[in-house]
Amino acid sequence: MYTHLDVHAYSSLSVGAQLRCHTSEKHALYIEPRYTIDDNLVSVTAGLEYAMTEQRFRSGRLAKFEPYYNMGLAGGVTHRFQTTLVEGMPQLGATVGLSGEYHFNPYSGARLTLDYAEATNGSTMRASHINTGVDYMFDLSTLFAGYTPERRLDVSLAVGPVFGMKAAFGNEYVKHNVNSSMGMQAGIPVLFHLTEKFGLSLEPRAQAFFNPSYAGVNNGRSAIINLQMGMKYTF
């Protein structure tokens, strides 16, 4: 029986990203995808990390969390996707939105949204949407970096039901079409804190609707992608 052990050491250029979930002050679960350029190699590692010293955000994580409200006003662009296109139906437009949030612990919150969007292709057709939704918010920044009150950047995941009303006016196919639909929406709200009270917000959000006629035709499906940027005020 012949056995041997080879040990090799080499250096190579690689890029990677590490995501951590801190389960205690000194323990963390992590996963790290990495790409090694010279070898054209993709690897993924996962494991348990133990810190020999106190974490730099320890005092922040132990700070007392106080529930809070915030209100937001934002505007941006909207794009409408349909599985069955209606001739002349405008797809790209502008949107404005209001939101109210209540954060009841460092990880979770609830949000109410109200959005108005309008798209037109000139003088032939116009489509308007009013959508209102209720979301559950989960703080991704706290999940991976712990609760830090002084943190400047917060990234969350928001998911919930949405109710939409649409009015389309215009061409020979859709002279006057008004209908509504329930659906689901999901977004990634990003908030950069400028001061203790004011913050700059950015959010991509997708909305999918269940009613086939909401697309403007009986056998279609409709979805809306919004990108909104605005301000939030924390009470």
Side-chain angles (χ1 to χ4, degrees), residues 127-149:
S128 301
H129 296 264
I130 297 178
N131 302 323
T132 182
V134 179
D135 294 328
Y136 167 74
M137 300 186 69
F138 184 75
D139 196 313
L140 298 176
S141 299
T142 300
L143 174 65
F144 291 111
Y147 171 57
T148 308

Side-chain angles (χ1 to χ4, degrees), residues 18-23 28-29 56-57 60-61 65 68 103 105-109 136-158 187-193 200 202:
Q18 188 179 88
L19 301 178
R20 298 180 184 176
C21 177
H22 293 269
T23 57
L29 300 173
R56 61 181 176 84
F57 50 82
R61 292 186 65 201
F65 176 86
Y68 64 91
H103 296 261
N105 64 46
Y107 291 94
S108 301
Y136 167 74
M137 300 186 69
F138 184 75
D139 196 313
L140 298 176
S141 299
T142 300
L143 174 65
F144 291 111
Y147 171 57
T148 308
E150 298 81 13
R151 183 166 48 224
R152 286 286 187 177
L153 186 66
D154 283 314
V155 181
S156 302
L157 174 66
I188 303 178
V190 178
L191 180 62
F192 180 77
H193 298 274
L200 183 65
L202 177 69

Side-chain angles (χ1 to χ4, degrees), residues 80 89 127-130 164-168 177-180 213-217:
R80 192 164 182 262
M89 179 72 77
S128 301
H129 296 264
I130 297 178
M165 296 185 64
K166 183 203 70 176
N177 178 272
V178 179
N179 54 28
S180 60
S213 64
Y214 196 71
V217 289

Side-chain angles (χ1 to χ4, degrees), residues 1 14 23 34 37 46 52 64 67 69 97 99 125 134 137 148 154 157 161 178 180 186 201 215 228 230:
M1 182 177 179
S14 66
T23 57
R34 180 166 294 275
I37 299 175
M52 301 297 292
K64 181 181 179 181
Y69 297 88
S99 65
M125 195 164 189
V134 179
M137 300 186 69
T148 308
D154 283 314
L157 174 66
V178 179
S180 60
S201 64
Q228 294 184 344

Side-chain angles (χ1 to χ4, degrees), residues 53-101:
T53 58
E54 297 294 336
Q55 299 292 324
R56 61 181 176 84
F57 50 82
R58 180 179 184 275
S59 60
R61 292 186 65 201
L62 294 179
K64 181 181 179 181
F65 176 86
E66 295 184 1
Y68 64 91
Y69 297 88
N70 64 32
M71 296 288 293
L73 174 64
V77 295
T78 182
H79 195 287
R80 192 164 182 262
F81 295 89
Q82 295 172 230
T83 56
T84 303
L85 292 178
V86 178
E87 183 176 337
M89 179 72 77
Q91 305 298 316
L92 186 65
T95 178
V96 62
L98 292 171
S99 65
E101 302 174 6

